[in-house]
Amino acid sequence: MNNLRIATLRFSSLATKATGSLGKRDFTRSLWHMTKKPATGASNDHVTVLNVHKPSISCTCGCNVHTKAEKELVECLAEEIVAERKVQKGKAVSSTLDGFNVKIVGGDVELIKETDKEKVVVSFNVNHTVDTEEEPEVNPNADKPELGEMRSKPQFEVDIIKSGTTLSFTCSYLQGEAQEGEYNDVFSIDEMSIFEGEWNDKVYAVAGDVLDGYLYDLLLNYLEEKGISQEFAEKLSDLATAHEHTSYIGLLEKLSKFTAGGK
């Protein structure tokens, strides 16, 4: 299973499964409390499944100052971190991508490629960019529920800078599969602008969907010549997915340390 995130379904999601779809963050929590088998002879209804695994309230550090909620949270986080690290293997964030140097600060990512004539910068932020490729049917009674793969597909900026002038594109990943007769593009141009020096909110920008069709295609060809091809966009999503997952694990570890009373 290639999931980048093991999921948790809250009881409310299970209770309303027949009437509504699951939200994206329903797939971003561990199934640690659902994958435990009910005791022999116990009912297999949803409530029983959720209540079978009750975290111990004994404190692993041996102190008596932690609350019940803190103890349960630390125990849950320990299992979640182990599960996330298992699916993280082989998904390290690379320092380069197709000739671009990768720079990461928190949730921000920049890819930079520079020559004597120009500088190309691709930038994005991984916060709130994760969603499932498909929304699967989840059976809470299954030992290993089948889940959709979690992918990060952030909106990204492409800045091509020459002699102090910047040609800027805002791009987004396309959703769904191409219909018959359509191009099988991975991303689209949302907006384009050109400006001197630093960008400000007075700069005119044109939406990609109002551009002449032929001009739009030529701009995609231009981006491809600069290294921003459809294949590059797929690799960019891989990089974003790996970084978002690493950041998520780091957040869980910090939360666990904070809850346990560490510095």
Side-chain angles (χ1 to χ4, degrees):
M1 182 170 66
N2 294 323
N3 300 333
L4 289 183
R5 194 62 55 78
I6 307 232
T8 269
L9 302 179
R10 298 183 185 274
F11 171 68
S12 59
S13 296
L14 289 169
T16 58
K17 181 174 179 291
T19 60
S21 60
L22 300 172
K24 66 174 66 175
R25 268 302 169 185
D26 289 325
F27 290 94
T28 64
R29 300 291 184 258
S30 172
L31 280 174
W32 63 275
H33 64 290
M34 288 183 57
T35 55
K36 306 297 182 180
K37 281 290 186 180
T40 303
S43 170
N44 287 326
D45 65 344
H46 294 165
V47 177
T48 301
V49 173
L50 284 173
N51 289 334
V52 167
H53 180 60
K54 296 182 178 179
S56 170
I57 62 172
S58 59
C59 187
T60 56
C61 69
C63 74
N64 296 313
V65 297
H66 290 158
T67 66
K68 178 176 180 292
E70 287 174 333
K71 296 169 186 176
E72 292 179 344
L73 181 56
V74 169
E75 183 171 317
C76 171
L77 287 168
E79 296 188 28
E80 175 83 351
I81 292 167
V82 170
E84 293 294 338
R85 288 205 173 280
K86 285 182 180 178
V87 296
Q88 185 191 32
K89 293 180 179 179
K91 300 181 177 66
V93 179
S94 175
S95 60
T96 60
L97 178 64
D98 288 357
F100 287 82
N101 292 319
V102 179
K103 178 182 177 182
I104 296 176
V105 179
D108 289 335
V109 181
E110 272 192 351
L111 291 84
I112 303 170
K113 181 168 63 175
E114 194 167 4
T115 66
D116 293 337
K117 297 182 178 180
E118 65 183 17
K119 181 179 181 181
V120 181
V121 180
V122 181
S123 58
F124 59 90
N125 185 287
V126 298
N127 292 346
H128 313 297
T129 61
V130 175
D131 206 344
T132 52
E133 290 288 272
E134 296 179 1
E135 191 168 278
E137 289 293 328
V138 178
N139 179 3
N141 295 317
D143 288 338
K144 295 181 180 180
E146 292 296 325
L147 304 172
E149 182 183 10
M150 302 302 295
R151 300 282 298 173
S152 174
K153 294 184 176 182
Q155 185 179 72
F156 59 93
E157 304 285 335
V158 180
D159 292 332
I160 302 168
I161 306 164
K162 293 182 181 181
S163 303
T165 300
T166 300
L167 174 59
S168 182
F169 297 89
T170 301
C171 303
S172 291
Y173 286 90
L174 295 171
Q175 302 297 321
E177 297 182 358
Q179 302 298 315
E180 185 175 352
E182 293 182 344
Y183 291 111
N184 191 27
D185 290 339
V186 175
F187 73 93
S188 63
I189 298 173
D190 295 341
E191 187 178 89
M192 181 187 72
S193 62
I194 186 167
F195 53 90
E196 304 288 333
E198 297 294 327
W199 182 90
N200 61 73
D201 56 12
K202 296 180 181 179
V203 173
Y204 172 75
V206 61
D209 57 4
V210 301
L211 289 170
D212 174 80
Y214 183 58
L215 173 59
Y216 180 91
D217 289 341
L218 290 178
L219 288 171
L220 283 178
N221 291 342
Y222 178 76
L223 284 173
E224 184 172 1
E225 284 188 347
K226 302 302 178 182
I228 318 301
S229 63
Q230 301 297 323
E231 182 181 359
F232 173 85
E234 291 179 337
K235 295 178 181 178
L236 191 72
S237 177
D238 291 338
L239 185 151
T241 300
H243 176 50
E244 195 281 337
H245 192 208
T246 299
S247 300
Y248 177 67
I249 294 174
L251 183 147
L252 294 181
E253 291 173 335
K254 289 178 182 178
L255 177 58
S256 177
K257 191 172 182 179
F258 177 87
T259 307
K263 295 181 180 179

mmCIF file with all atom_site columns, all heavy atoms in Angstrom, residues 38 41 52 57 63 85 129 133-134 147 152 167 199 201 221 227 239 241 245 247 253 258-259:
data_model
loop_
_atom_site.group_PDB
_atom_site.id
_atom_site.type_symbol
_atom_site.label_atom_id
_atom_site.label_alt_id
_atom_site.label_comp_id
_atom_site.label_asym_id
_atom_site.label_entity_id
_atom_site.label_seq_id
_atom_site.pdbx_PDB_ins_code
_atom_site.Cartn_x
_atom_site.Cartn_y
_atom_site.Cartn_z
_atom_site.occupancy
_atom_site.B_iso_or_equiv
_atom_site.pdbx_formal_charge
_atom_site.auth_seq_id
_atom_site.auth_comp_id
_atom_site.auth_asym_id
_atom_site.auth_atom_id
_atom_site.pdbx_PDB_model_num
ATOM 1   N N   . PRO A 1 38  ? -12.359 -6.812  17.652  1.00 0.00 ? 38  PRO A N   1
ATOM 2   C CA  . PRO A 1 38  ? -13.209 -6.912  18.836  1.00 0.00 ? 38  PRO A CA  1
ATOM 3   C C   . PRO A 1 38  ? -12.964 -8.213  19.573  1.00 0.00 ? 38  PRO A C   1
ATOM 4   O O   . PRO A 1 38  ? -12.504 -9.203  18.997  1.00 0.00 ? 38  PRO A O   1
ATOM 5   C CB  . PRO A 1 38  ? -14.630 -6.875  18.246  1.00 0.00 ? 38  PRO A CB  1
ATOM 6   C CG  . PRO A 1 38  ? -14.462 -6.315  16.866  1.00 0.00 ? 38  PRO A CG  1
ATOM 7   C CD  . PRO A 1 38  ? -13.103 -6.742  16.413  1.00 0.00 ? 38  PRO A CD  1
ATOM 8   N N   . GLY A 1 41  ? -16.913 -12.876 20.544  1.00 0.00 ? 41  GLY A N   1
ATOM 9   C CA  . GLY A 1 41  ? -18.300 -12.809 20.964  1.00 0.00 ? 41  GLY A CA  1
ATOM 10  C C   . GLY A 1 41  ? -18.841 -11.405 21.051  1.00 0.00 ? 41  GLY A C   1
ATOM 11  O O   . GLY A 1 41  ? -20.027 -11.199 21.278  1.00 0.00 ? 41  GLY A O   1
ATOM 12  N N   . VAL A 1 52  ? -13.132 -0.719  21.213  1.00 0.00 ? 52  VAL A N   1
ATOM 13  C CA  . VAL A 1 52  ? -12.372 -1.894  21.633  1.00 0.00 ? 52  VAL A CA  1
ATOM 14  C C   . VAL A 1 52  ? -11.001 -1.500  22.147  1.00 0.00 ? 52  VAL A C   1
ATOM 15  O O   . VAL A 1 52  ? -10.566 -1.940  23.193  1.00 0.00 ? 52  VAL A O   1
ATOM 16  C CB  . VAL A 1 52  ? -12.230 -2.876  20.455  1.00 0.00 ? 52  VAL A CB  1
ATOM 17  C CG1 . VAL A 1 52  ? -11.176 -3.925  20.777  1.00 0.00 ? 52  VAL A CG1 1
ATOM 18  C CG2 . VAL A 1 52  ? -13.565 -3.577  20.208  1.00 0.00 ? 52  VAL A CG2 1
ATOM 19  N N   . ILE A 1 57  ? -4.149  4.556   30.480  1.00 0.00 ? 57  ILE A N   1
ATOM 20  C CA  . ILE A 1 57  ? -3.959  5.875   31.084  1.00 0.00 ? 57  ILE A CA  1
ATOM 21  C C   . ILE A 1 57  ? -2.746  5.886   32.004  1.00 0.00 ? 57  ILE A C   1
ATOM 22  O O   . ILE A 1 57  ? -2.498  6.860   32.693  1.00 0.00 ? 57  ILE A O   1
ATOM 23  C CB  . ILE A 1 57  ? -5.217  6.316   31.866  1.00 0.00 ? 57  ILE A CB  1
ATOM 24  C CG1 . ILE A 1 57  ? -5.503  5.354   33.026  1.00 0.00 ? 57  ILE A CG1 1
ATOM 25  C CG2 . ILE A 1 57  ? -6.417  6.437   30.961  1.00 0.00 ? 57  ILE A CG2 1
ATOM 26  C CD1 . ILE A 1 57  ? -6.611  5.843   33.941  1.00 0.00 ? 57  ILE A CD1 1
ATOM 27  N N   . CYS A 1 63  ? 5.400   9.487   36.016  1.00 0.00 ? 63  CYS A N   1
ATOM 28  C CA  . CYS A 1 63  ? 4.962   10.575  36.885  1.00 0.00 ? 63  CYS A CA  1
ATOM 29  C C   . CYS A 1 63  ? 3.456   10.499  37.106  1.00 0.00 ? 63  CYS A C   1
ATOM 30  O O   . CYS A 1 63  ? 2.761   9.721   36.497  1.00 0.00 ? 63  CYS A O   1
ATOM 31  C CB  . CYS A 1 63  ? 5.322   11.930  36.266  1.00 0.00 ? 63  CYS A CB  1
ATOM 32  S SG  . CYS A 1 63  ? 4.271   12.364  34.869  1.00 0.00 ? 63  CYS A SG  1
ATOM 33  N N   . ARG A 1 85  ? 6.170   6.701   9.758   1.00 0.00 ? 85  ARG A N   1
ATOM 34  C CA  . ARG A 1 85  ? 7.550   6.464   9.347   1.00 0.00 ? 85  ARG A CA  1
ATOM 35  C C   . ARG A 1 85  ? 7.669   5.210   8.473   1.00 0.00 ? 85  ARG A C   1
ATOM 36  O O   . ARG A 1 85  ? 8.550   5.134   7.615   1.00 0.00 ? 85  ARG A O   1
ATOM 37  C CB  . ARG A 1 85  ? 8.455   6.345   10.576  1.00 0.00 ? 85  ARG A CB  1
ATOM 38  C CG  . ARG A 1 85  ? 8.687   7.681   11.274  1.00 0.00 ? 85  ARG A CG  1
ATOM 39  C CD  . ARG A 1 85  ? 9.990   7.696   12.045  1.00 0.00 ? 85  ARG A CD  1
ATOM 40  N NE  . ARG A 1 85  ? 10.289  9.012   12.579  1.00 0.00 ? 85  ARG A NE  1
ATOM 41  C CZ  . ARG A 1 85  ? 10.818  10.002  11.881  1.00 0.00 ? 85  ARG A CZ  1
ATOM 42  N NH1 . ARG A 1 85  ? 11.091  9.818   10.602  1.00 0.00 ? 85  ARG A NH1 1
ATOM 43  N NH2 . ARG A 1 85  ? 11.068  11.172  12.429  1.00 0.00 ? 85  ARG A NH2 1
ATOM 44  N N   . THR A 1 129 ? -2.258  21.411  1.198   1.00 0.00 ? 129 THR A N   1
ATOM 45  C CA  . THR A 1 129 ? -2.187  21.010  -0.209  1.00 0.00 ? 129 THR A CA  1
ATOM 46  C C   . THR A 1 129 ? -2.436  19.524  -0.423  1.00 0.00 ? 129 THR A C   1
ATOM 47  O O   . THR A 1 129 ? -2.386  19.053  -1.554  1.00 0.00 ? 129 THR A O   1
ATOM 48  C CB  . THR A 1 129 ? -0.794  21.337  -0.794  1.00 0.00 ? 129 THR A CB  1
ATOM 49  O OG1 . THR A 1 129 ? 0.217   20.607  -0.083  1.00 0.00 ? 129 THR A OG1 1
ATOM 50  C CG2 . THR A 1 129 ? -0.508  22.826  -0.696  1.00 0.00 ? 129 THR A CG2 1
ATOM 51  N N   . GLU A 1 133 ? -5.932  10.945  -4.104  1.00 0.00 ? 133 GLU A N   1
ATOM 52  C CA  . GLU A 1 133 ? -6.083  10.770  -5.545  1.00 0.00 ? 133 GLU A CA  1
ATOM 53  C C   . GLU A 1 133 ? -7.507  10.330  -5.866  1.00 0.00 ? 133 GLU A C   1
ATOM 54  O O   . GLU A 1 133 ? -8.111  10.768  -6.823  1.00 0.00 ? 133 GLU A O   1
ATOM 55  C CB  . GLU A 1 133 ? -5.095  9.717   -6.054  1.00 0.00 ? 133 GLU A CB  1
ATOM 56  C CG  . GLU A 1 133 ? -3.640  10.170  -6.029  1.00 0.00 ? 133 GLU A CG  1
ATOM 57  C CD  . GLU A 1 133 ? -3.329  11.193  -7.089  1.00 0.00 ? 133 GLU A CD  1
ATOM 58  O OE1 . GLU A 1 133 ? -2.992  10.816  -8.207  1.00 0.00 ? 133 GLU A OE1 1
ATOM 59  O OE2 . GLU A 1 133 ? -3.456  12.398  -6.779  1.00 0.00 ? 133 GLU A OE2 1
ATOM 60  N N   . GLU A 1 134 ? -8.029  9.423   -5.072  1.00 0.00 ? 134 GLU A N   1
ATOM 61  C CA  . GLU A 1 134 ? -9.400  8.961   -5.208  1.00 0.00 ? 134 GLU A CA  1
ATOM 62  C C   . GLU A 1 134 ? -9.994  8.843   -3.818  1.00 0.00 ? 134 GLU A C   1
ATOM 63  O O   . GLU A 1 134 ? -9.293  8.633   -2.845  1.00 0.00 ? 134 GLU A O   1
ATOM 64  C CB  . GLU A 1 134 ? -9.455  7.586   -5.894  1.00 0.00 ? 134 GLU A CB  1
ATOM 65  C CG  . GLU A 1 134 ? -8.958  7.583   -7.321  1.00 0.00 ? 134 GLU A CG  1
ATOM 66  C CD  . GLU A 1 134 ? -9.020  6.203   -7.931  1.00 0.00 ? 134 GLU A CD  1
ATOM 67  O OE1 . GLU A 1 134 ? -9.472  5.272   -7.246  1.00 0.00 ? 134 GLU A OE1 1
ATOM 68  O OE2 . GLU A 1 134 ? -8.621  6.066   -9.088  1.00 0.00 ? 134 GLU A OE2 1
ATOM 69  N N   . LEU A 1 147 ? -7.138  2.632   1.137   1.00 0.00 ? 147 LEU A N   1
ATOM 70  C CA  . LEU A 1 147 ? -7.226  4.080   1.162   1.00 0.00 ? 147 LEU A CA  1
ATOM 71  C C   . LEU A 1 147 ? -6.599  4.682   -0.081  1.00 0.00 ? 147 LEU A C   1
ATOM 72  O O   . LEU A 1 147 ? -5.706  4.099   -0.682  1.00 0.00 ? 147 LEU A O   1
ATOM 73  C CB  . LEU A 1 147 ? -6.511  4.631   2.403   1.00 0.00 ? 147 LEU A CB  1
ATOM 74  C CG  . LEU A 1 147 ? -6.989  4.077   3.740   1.00 0.00 ? 147 LEU A CG  1
ATOM 75  C CD1 . LEU A 1 147 ? -6.077  4.556   4.845   1.00 0.00 ? 147 LEU A CD1 1
ATOM 76  C CD2 . LEU A 1 147 ? -8.427  4.471   3.997   1.00 0.00 ? 147 LEU A CD2 1
ATOM 77  N N   . SER A 1 152 ? 0.373   15.795  -2.456  1.00 0.00 ? 152 SER A N   1
ATOM 78  C CA  . SER A 1 152 ? 0.432   17.247  -2.340  1.00 0.00 ? 152 SER A CA  1
ATOM 79  C C   . SER A 1 152 ? 0.514   17.831  -3.742  1.00 0.00 ? 152 SER A C   1
ATOM 80  O O   . SER A 1 152 ? 1.431   17.513  -4.509  1.00 0.00 ? 152 SER A O   1
ATOM 81  C CB  . SER A 1 152 ? 1.663   17.668  -1.523  1.00 0.00 ? 152 SER A CB  1
ATOM 82  O OG  . SER A 1 152 ? 1.798   19.077  -1.529  1.00 0.00 ? 152 SER A OG  1
ATOM 83  N N   . LEU A 1 167 ? 8.863   37.849  -15.665 1.00 0.00 ? 167 LEU A N   1
ATOM 84  C CA  . LEU A 1 167 ? 7.665   37.271  -16.277 1.00 0.00 ? 167 LEU A CA  1
ATOM 85  C C   . LEU A 1 167 ? 7.184   36.202  -15.314 1.00 0.00 ? 167 LEU A C   1
ATOM 86  O O   . LEU A 1 167 ? 7.902   35.239  -15.019 1.00 0.00 ? 167 LEU A O   1
ATOM 87  C CB  . LEU A 1 167 ? 7.989   36.650  -17.633 1.00 0.00 ? 167 LEU A CB  1
ATOM 88  C CG  . LEU A 1 167 ? 6.851   35.876  -18.327 1.00 0.00 ? 167 LEU A CG  1
ATOM 89  C CD1 . LEU A 1 167 ? 5.641   36.766  -18.556 1.00 0.00 ? 167 LEU A CD1 1
ATOM 90  C CD2 . LEU A 1 167 ? 7.341   35.270  -19.638 1.00 0.00 ? 167 LEU A CD2 1
ATOM 91  N N   . TRP A 1 199 ? 7.343   42.724  -7.253  1.00 0.00 ? 199 TRP A N   1
ATOM 92  C CA  . TRP A 1 199 ? 5.903   42.696  -7.523  1.00 0.00 ? 199 TRP A CA  1
ATOM 93  C C   . TRP A 1 199 ? 5.152   43.500  -6.467  1.00 0.00 ? 199 TRP A C   1
ATOM 94  O O   . TRP A 1 199 ? 5.543   43.561  -5.299  1.00 0.00 ? 199 TRP A O   1
ATOM 95  C CB  . TRP A 1 199 ? 5.400   41.256  -7.494  1.00 0.00 ? 199 TRP A CB  1
ATOM 96  C CG  . TRP A 1 199 ? 3.928   41.142  -7.801  1.00 0.00 ? 199 TRP A CG  1
ATOM 97  C CD1 . TRP A 1 199 ? 3.350   40.981  -9.019  1.00 0.00 ? 199 TRP A CD1 1
ATOM 98  C CD2 . TRP A 1 199 ? 2.853   41.189  -6.852  1.00 0.00 ? 199 TRP A CD2 1
ATOM 99  N NE1 . TRP A 1 199 ? 1.982   40.938  -8.905  1.00 0.00 ? 199 TRP A NE1 1
ATOM 100 C CE2 . TRP A 1 199 ? 1.640   41.061  -7.582  1.00 0.00 ? 199 TRP A CE2 1
ATOM 101 C CE3 . TRP A 1 199 ? 2.781   41.339  -5.468  1.00 0.00 ? 199 TRP A CE3 1
ATOM 102 C CZ2 . TRP A 1 199 ? 0.393   41.074  -6.970  1.00 0.00 ? 199 TRP A CZ2 1
ATOM 103 C CZ3 . TRP A 1 199 ? 1.533   41.359  -4.850  1.00 0.00 ? 199 TRP A CZ3 1
ATOM 104 C CH2 . TRP A 1 199 ? 0.356   41.216  -5.602  1.00 0.00 ? 199 TRP A CH2 1
ATOM 105 N N   . ASP A 1 201 ? 0.763   44.947  -5.615  1.00 0.00 ? 201 ASP A N   1
ATOM 106 C CA  . ASP A 1 201 ? -0.619  44.655  -5.979  1.00 0.00 ? 201 ASP A CA  1
ATOM 107 C C   . ASP A 1 201 ? -1.184  45.579  -7.054  1.00 0.00 ? 201 ASP A C   1
ATOM 108 O O   . ASP A 1 201 ? -2.351  45.445  -7.451  1.00 0.00 ? 201 ASP A O   1
ATOM 109 C CB  . ASP A 1 201 ? -1.524  44.685  -4.742  1.00 0.00 ? 201 ASP A CB  1
ATOM 110 C CG  . ASP A 1 201 ? -1.441  46.002  -3.983  1.00 0.00 ? 201 ASP A CG  1
ATOM 111 O OD1 . ASP A 1 201 ? -0.873  46.972  -4.514  1.00 0.00 ? 201 ASP A OD1 1
ATOM 112 O OD2 . ASP A 1 201 ? -1.969  46.051  -2.855  1.00 0.00 ? 201 ASP A OD2 1
ATOM 113 N N   . ASN A 1 221 ? 4.488   25.957  -24.080 1.00 0.00 ? 221 ASN A N   1
ATOM 114 C CA  . ASN A 1 221 ? 5.720   25.524  -24.766 1.00 0.00 ? 221 ASN A CA  1
ATOM 115 C C   . ASN A 1 221 ? 6.914   26.313  -24.238 1.00 0.00 ? 221 ASN A C   1
ATOM 116 O O   . ASN A 1 221 ? 8.015   25.764  -24.047 1.00 0.00 ? 221 ASN A O   1
ATOM 117 C CB  . ASN A 1 221 ? 5.591   25.728  -26.276 1.00 0.00 ? 221 ASN A CB  1
ATOM 118 C CG  . ASN A 1 221 ? 4.588   24.778  -26.907 1.00 0.00 ? 221 ASN A CG  1
ATOM 119 O OD1 . ASN A 1 221 ? 4.220   23.764  -26.315 1.00 0.00 ? 221 ASN A OD1 1
ATOM 120 N ND2 . ASN A 1 221 ? 4.134   25.109  -28.103 1.00 0.00 ? 221 ASN A ND2 1
ATOM 121 N N   . GLY A 1 227 ? 12.157  24.462  -18.596 1.00 0.00 ? 227 GLY A N   1
ATOM 122 C CA  . GLY A 1 227 ? 12.253  23.335  -17.663 1.00 0.00 ? 227 GLY A CA  1
ATOM 123 C C   . GLY A 1 227 ? 10.966  23.012  -16.941 1.00 0.00 ? 227 GLY A C   1
ATOM 124 O O   . GLY A 1 227 ? 10.915  22.047  -16.162 1.00 0.00 ? 227 GLY A O   1
ATOM 125 N N   . LEU A 1 239 ? 7.973   15.783  -4.962  1.00 0.00 ? 239 LEU A N   1
ATOM 126 C CA  . LEU A 1 239 ? 8.798   16.491  -3.981  1.00 0.00 ? 239 LEU A CA  1
ATOM 127 C C   . LEU A 1 239 ? 7.927   17.134  -2.906  1.00 0.00 ? 239 LEU A C   1
ATOM 128 O O   . LEU A 1 239 ? 8.220   17.047  -1.708  1.00 0.00 ? 239 LEU A O   1
ATOM 129 C CB  . LEU A 1 239 ? 9.638   17.552  -4.695  1.00 0.00 ? 239 LEU A CB  1
ATOM 130 C CG  . LEU A 1 239 ? 10.666  18.334  -3.862  1.00 0.00 ? 239 LEU A CG  1
ATOM 131 C CD1 . LEU A 1 239 ? 11.832  18.763  -4.750  1.00 0.00 ? 239 LEU A CD1 1
ATOM 132 C CD2 . LEU A 1 239 ? 10.057  19.567  -3.211  1.00 0.00 ? 239 LEU A CD2 1
ATOM 133 N N   . THR A 1 241 ? 4.949   16.263  -1.985  1.00 0.00 ? 241 THR A N   1
ATOM 134 C CA  . THR A 1 241 ? 4.336   15.208  -1.172  1.00 0.00 ? 241 THR A CA  1
ATOM 135 C C   . THR A 1 241 ? 5.311   14.701  -0.113  1.00 0.00 ? 241 THR A C   1
ATOM 136 O O   . THR A 1 241 ? 4.950   14.532  1.056   1.00 0.00 ? 241 THR A O   1
ATOM 137 C CB  . THR A 1 241 ? 3.885   14.039  -2.061  1.00 0.00 ? 241 THR A CB  1
ATOM 138 O OG1 . THR A 1 241 ? 2.919   14.524  -3.013  1.00 0.00 ? 241 THR A OG1 1
ATOM 139 C CG2 . THR A 1 241 ? 3.255   12.927  -1.246  1.00 0.00 ? 241 THR A CG2 1
ATOM 140 N N   . HIS A 1 245 ? 4.857   15.311  3.926   1.00 0.00 ? 245 HIS A N   1
ATOM 141 C CA  . HIS A 1 245 ? 4.787   14.152  4.821   1.00 0.00 ? 245 HIS A CA  1
ATOM 142 C C   . HIS A 1 245 ? 5.847   14.242  5.916   1.00 0.00 ? 245 HIS A C   1
ATOM 143 O O   . HIS A 1 245 ? 5.581   13.972  7.090   1.00 0.00 ? 245 HIS A O   1
ATOM 144 C CB  . HIS A 1 245 ? 4.961   12.863  4.027   1.00 0.00 ? 245 HIS A CB  1
ATOM 145 C CG  . HIS A 1 245 ? 4.616   11.643  4.808   1.00 0.00 ? 245 HIS A CG  1
ATOM 146 N ND1 . HIS A 1 245 ? 5.192   10.422  4.565   1.00 0.00 ? 245 HIS A ND1 1
ATOM 147 C CD2 . HIS A 1 245 ? 3.765   11.441  5.843   1.00 0.00 ? 245 HIS A CD2 1
ATOM 148 C CE1 . HIS A 1 245 ? 4.708   9.536   5.409   1.00 0.00 ? 245 HIS A CE1 1
ATOM 149 N NE2 . HIS A 1 245 ? 3.839   10.124  6.195   1.00 0.00 ? 245 HIS A NE2 1
ATOM 150 N N   . SER A 1 247 ? 7.117   16.977  7.044   1.00 0.00 ? 247 SER A N   1
ATOM 151 C CA  . SER A 1 247 ? 6.688   18.057  7.932   1.00 0.00 ? 247 SER A CA  1
ATOM 152 C C   . SER A 1 247 ? 5.588   17.573  8.874   1.00 0.00 ? 247 SER A C   1
ATOM 153 O O   . SER A 1 247 ? 5.552   17.974  10.054  1.00 0.00 ? 247 SER A O   1
ATOM 154 C CB  . SER A 1 247 ? 6.176   19.246  7.111   1.00 0.00 ? 247 SER A CB  1
ATOM 155 O OG  . SER A 1 247 ? 7.194   19.751  6.266   1.00 0.00 ? 247 SER A OG  1
ATOM 156 N N   . GLU A 1 253 ? 5.784   14.730  16.139  1.00 0.00 ? 253 GLU A N   1
ATOM 157 C CA  . GLU A 1 253 ? 6.845   14.548  17.135  1.00 0.00 ? 253 GLU A CA  1
ATOM 158 C C   . GLU A 1 253 ? 6.910   15.736  18.094  1.00 0.00 ? 253 GLU A C   1
ATOM 159 O O   . GLU A 1 253 ? 7.082   15.564  19.308  1.00 0.00 ? 253 GLU A O   1
ATOM 160 C CB  . GLU A 1 253 ? 8.180   14.355  16.425  1.00 0.00 ? 253 GLU A CB  1
ATOM 161 C CG  . GLU A 1 253 ? 8.268   13.024  15.681  1.00 0.00 ? 253 GLU A CG  1
ATOM 162 C CD  . GLU A 1 253 ? 9.527   12.895  14.844  1.00 0.00 ? 253 GLU A CD  1
ATOM 163 O OE1 . GLU A 1 253 ? 10.093  13.942  14.452  1.00 0.00 ? 253 GLU A OE1 1
ATOM 164 O OE2 . GLU A 1 253 ? 9.936   11.751  14.563  1.00 0.00 ? 253 GLU A OE2 1
ATOM 165 N N   . PHE A 1 258 ? 5.686   18.104  23.322  1.00 0.00 ? 258 PHE A N   1
ATOM 166 C CA  . PHE A 1 258 ? 5.013   19.192  24.053  1.00 0.00 ? 258 PHE A CA  1
ATOM 167 C C   . PHE A 1 258 ? 4.013   18.621  25.059  1.00 0.00 ? 258 PHE A C   1
ATOM 168 O O   . PHE A 1 258 ? 3.966   19.054  26.209  1.00 0.00 ? 258 PHE A O   1
ATOM 169 C CB  . PHE A 1 258 ? 4.284   20.079  23.042  1.00 0.00 ? 258 PHE A CB  1
ATOM 170 C CG  . PHE A 1 258 ? 3.497   21.195  23.669  1.00 0.00 ? 258 PHE A CG  1
ATOM 171 C CD1 . PHE A 1 258 ? 4.105   22.405  23.961  1.00 0.00 ? 258 PHE A CD1 1
ATOM 172 C CD2 . PHE A 1 258 ? 2.147   21.051  23.928  1.00 0.00 ? 258 PHE A CD2 1
ATOM 173 C CE1 . PHE A 1 258 ? 3.379   23.441  24.545  1.00 0.00 ? 258 PHE A CE1 1
ATOM 174 C CE2 . PHE A 1 258 ? 1.410   22.072  24.501  1.00 0.00 ? 258 PHE A CE2 1
ATOM 175 C CZ  . PHE A 1 258 ? 2.032   23.273  24.803  1.00 0.00 ? 258 PHE A CZ  1
ATOM 176 N N   . THR A 1 259 ? 3.234   17.633  24.636  1.00 0.00 ? 259 THR A N   1
ATOM 177 C CA  . THR A 1 259 ? 2.219   17.052  25.512  1.00 0.00 ? 259 THR A CA  1
ATOM 178 C C   . THR A 1 259 ? 2.854   16.301  26.678  1.00 0.00 ? 259 THR A C   1
ATOM 179 O O   . THR A 1 259 ? 2.332   16.303  27.791  1.00 0.00 ? 259 THR A O   1
ATOM 180 C CB  . THR A 1 259 ? 1.322   16.098  24.708  1.00 0.00 ? 259 THR A CB  1
ATOM 181 O OG1 . THR A 1 259 ? 0.808   16.775  23.564  1.00 0.00 ? 259 THR A OG1 1
ATOM 182 C CG2 . THR A 1 259 ? 0.143   15.606  25.543  1.00 0.00 ? 259 THR A CG2 1
#
